[in-house]
Amino acid sequence: MTTQLTRPSQLTEPPRLVWPTAAVRDSYLAGERADCVAEGRPMEWLGAAADDFDAFVAQRRGEQIRWGVPSTLFWYVSGEHYIGSLVVRQRLTPELAEAGGHVGYHVVRPWRRRGHATRMLAAGLAECRSLGLDRVLLTCDVDNEPSRRVIRANGGVPDGRMHGEDRFWITLEAARS
Ligand SMILES: CC(C)(COP(=O)(O)OP(=O)(O)OC[C@H]1O[C@@H](n2cnc3c(N)ncnc32)[C@H](O)[C@@H]1OP(=O)(O)O)[C@@H](O)C(=O)NCCC(=O)NCCS
């Protein structure tokens, strides 16, 4: 498994949300590995992913039932570079309505603090609109100031705190015809 990190100072293509793709294999493995190392998380799953990345990707493409609801995973990529992930949950369970919400995301460490999460969430909200949602709930840990800033920058309106998570609603603009 490669662990080489490639982080050019400038991306040649604007990042966009796509379904998981083998085109970013090395960058994905390196970026997620960097997060696992920094957070002390197990890395066995990365070895399995590297062994058959095509299968890893195929298992993650398209709508899937996760958290008990139809969910879609997107990767934020520019060319061969993987920047982060965003998941859209199309419905709320009672649990998700309290903490978790419709949208979850992360940017891998090598790419943080460059505005990617803010722009990635904006792109994710457009996907939510395409999926028929007109209002989405986002929640973040009360200590997660970066994520709170990402949500507020995208129009998040606070709606209290539950289970140690701040809750925000974002009303989506009508899709342009
Ligand atoms: C939260 C996260 C997605 C932010 O990603 P990012 O690409 O670094 O975010 P941005 O570059 O768009 O920065 C957003 C804002 O947070 C600020 N910020 C980012 N990292 C910060 C840090 N470590 N400390 C303080 N502020 C920080 C930025 O300066 C920016 O503020 P501004 O809008 O006032 O200028 C990323 O840190 C992450 O993946 N964390 C782990 C997973 C997670 O928390 N996901 C969200 C779950 S709700």
Side-chain angles (χ1 to χ4, degrees), residues 35 39 41 76 83-85 89 100 103-109 111-121 138-141 144-154 165-166:
D35 274 15
E39 293 161 24
R41 283 193 279 120
Y76 199 53
I83 294 167
S85 292
R89 296 178 274 260
V103 182
Y105 51 82
H106 74 278
V107 166
V108 288
R109 271 158 209 277
W111 293 99
R112 287 187 189 172
R113 302 206 74 165
R114 296 172 170 211
H116 286 306
T118 304
R119 293 186 292 271
M120 179 172 72
L121 177 57
L138 291 99
T139 75
C140 74
D141 191 281
N144 195 339
E145 180 60 21
S147 189
R148 190 177 3 262
R149 284 172 180 261
V150 168
I151 296 168
R152 295 301 293 261
N154 278 282
E165 301 258 313
D166 282 334

Side-chain angles (χ1 to χ4, degrees), residues 90-104:
Q90 292 175 40
R91 292 201 306 267
L92 297 178
T93 60
E95 294 77 20
L96 290 170
E98 294 186 350
H102 289 98
V103 182

